[in-house]
Amino acid sequence: MKKMQTPNVVKHFSMTALAAGFVFAFLPITADASEFGSEKLSDGTEHEEHVELLQELLVEEEYLEDESINGVFDETTEEAVTVFQEDASLLIDGIAGPQTLGALSVLEKDDENVLVEYLQEDLKSFGYYGGSIDGIFGPLTEDAVKGFQSDAGIHADGLAGPATYSAMMNFTAPQPETTVESEPANEAASEDATETTEEATASAETTSESTSSAPEGTTISMEATAYTAYCNGCSGITATGIDLRNDPHANVVAVDPNIIPLGSRVYVEGYGEAIAGDTGGAINGHKIDLHMATKDEALNFGRQQVNVTILN
């Protein structure tokens, strides 16, 4: 990812404090997040009102100058979004999606908008929210945010801002403890247990036969995003020399070589078998970027948590 610079973009805060669990007092937000639609704002977006609201948020946080508010998602706006994402330790793609807009807005109790819906979906996927996805930041949502913040080791204030969205990027939900049954206390129980074991063994053999086609190898839970070979400044040639423009339907993924060695065959849940043939500036740790044939496919994929099996 190249370092973007522009006289209209001003860095506002350091993530050193965010990482330590501090919360910043944001300036009053003039833009109303409830006005945003469900689309992601990026270069070429034509919804003037939504882009203006985004630009107002960026001005409030001192990433844009007032004169840059023009309702056009231009290069200056993209650079401002990118710098904010970098400072807030979010996914750096220059696209103002739900996480970036939520972090800019700082969602809190009594908010009602589509960004709260996305927040509730994220909290539900982590096991912290059990209510309905209604876009209403009520007591249940606030408790879910506080519970997540506490487990993530950040200040549990119930406000969903940059620190919270940053923590979500690499958070792994706690795994439930498994219980082990004690041995039978008498001979009759032992006989019953033997019969049960035999039945379980037969069932396991049947299951094994039916799932023999499932991928075998080390499986890792990873955060997945998507990209195309036709982004601005992209050559279409991966880090390992694969020409994606020559083969737009190739299943190639960008990885952190410290986690998945380049050249490995992997199986990505919902994507299929692929080659770990590329890297990316924002692809660090348990993150993976999936190559898509078109920009629309990449945007529609968004960001998901998937299981990735390393086949070799």
Side-chain angles (χ1 to χ4, degrees):
M1 183 74 186
K2 67 178 182 179
K3 187 68 174 179
M4 296 186 176
Q5 298 179 340
T6 172
N8 291 325
V9 178
V10 183
K11 288 192 176 183
H12 183 51
F13 57 80
S14 168
M15 281 305 298
T16 302
L18 285 180
F22 292 97
V23 176
F24 286 85
F26 276 51
L27 297 173
I29 300 298
T30 58
D32 183 0
S34 65
E35 297 297 327
F36 285 110
S38 59
E39 85 276 19
K40 298 176 182 179
L41 305 181
S42 61
D43 187 18
T45 300
E46 297 180 357
H47 200 302
E48 181 178 351
E49 181 182 359
H50 291 181
V51 175
E52 283 187 4
L53 289 173
L54 167 65
Q55 290 169 334
E56 288 178 18
L57 288 172
L58 291 168
V59 168
E60 290 288 347
E61 297 311 315
E62 300 183 14
Y63 285 86
L64 276 181
E65 302 293 345
D66 288 332
E67 58 266 24
S68 297
I69 300 178
N70 56 14
V72 177
F73 200 111
D74 50 21
E75 183 178 356
T76 299
T77 303
E78 182 179 20
E79 290 174 348
V81 169
T82 300
V83 175
F84 171 76
Q85 290 171 332
E86 182 179 3
D87 284 351
S89 291
L90 301 174
L91 176 66
I92 304 172
D93 58 6
I95 298 173
Q99 287 74 28
T100 299
L101 292 171
L104 271 169
S105 302
V106 186
L107 303 176
E108 59 184 341
K109 189 176 179 181
D110 296 330
D111 282 345
E112 293 186 30
N113 53 63
V114 68
L115 299 180
V116 176
E117 289 185 24
Y118 285 109
L119 173 65
Q120 290 170 332
E121 288 175 355
D122 287 339
L123 292 169
K124 191 166 189 175
S125 70
F126 288 135
Y128 288 90
Y129 181 68
S132 59
I133 309 299
D134 55 11
I136 301 174
F137 201 124
L140 285 179
T141 304
E142 184 179 38
D143 289 344
V145 171
K146 288 181 178 179
F148 168 80
Q149 291 171 328
S150 178
D151 286 348
I154 61 176
H155 184 53
D157 58 2
L159 302 176
T164 300
Y165 282 97
S166 174
M168 285 183 177
M169 291 285 293
N170 298 299
F171 184 76
T172 301
Q175 297 298 316
E177 296 182 359
T178 57
T179 58
V180 179
E181 296 182 359
S182 60
E183 295 182 359
N186 54 57
E187 184 177 349
S190 179
E191 292 176 355
D192 290 342
T194 300
E195 293 176 359
T196 301
T197 301
E198 291 174 350
E199 292 175 359
T201 300
S203 175
E205 291 175 351
T206 301
T207 302
S208 177
E209 292 175 358
S210 64
T211 60
S212 60
S213 60
E216 296 181 359
T218 303
T219 299
I220 308 172
S221 178
M222 306 187 79
E223 182 181 37
T225 51
Y227 73 101
T228 74
Y230 295 93
C231 59
N232 292 335
C234 294
S235 67
I237 307 297
T238 71
T240 58
I242 301 172
D243 187 349
L244 295 176
R245 294 189 179 183
N246 189 47
D247 188 5
H249 296 286
N251 277 16
V252 176
V253 295
V255 298
D256 182 342
N258 293 318
I259 304 298
I260 299 178
L262 284 175
S264 300
R265 288 190 309 115
V266 298
Y267 182 87
V268 183
E269 176 186 12
Y271 183 70
E273 189 171 325
I275 295 294
D278 206 357
T279 58
I283 308 304
N284 301 307
H286 287 187
K287 297 178 183 177
I288 191 168
D289 211 12
L290 314 181
H291 169 249
M292 299 288 181
T294 67
K295 182 177 180 180
D296 286 342
E297 289 179 85
L299 291 176
N300 288 334
F301 183 85
R303 184 172 67 184
Q304 304 179 25
Q305 201 71 20
V306 300
N307 288 325
V308 179
T309 301
I310 304 174
L311 302 178
N312 64 2

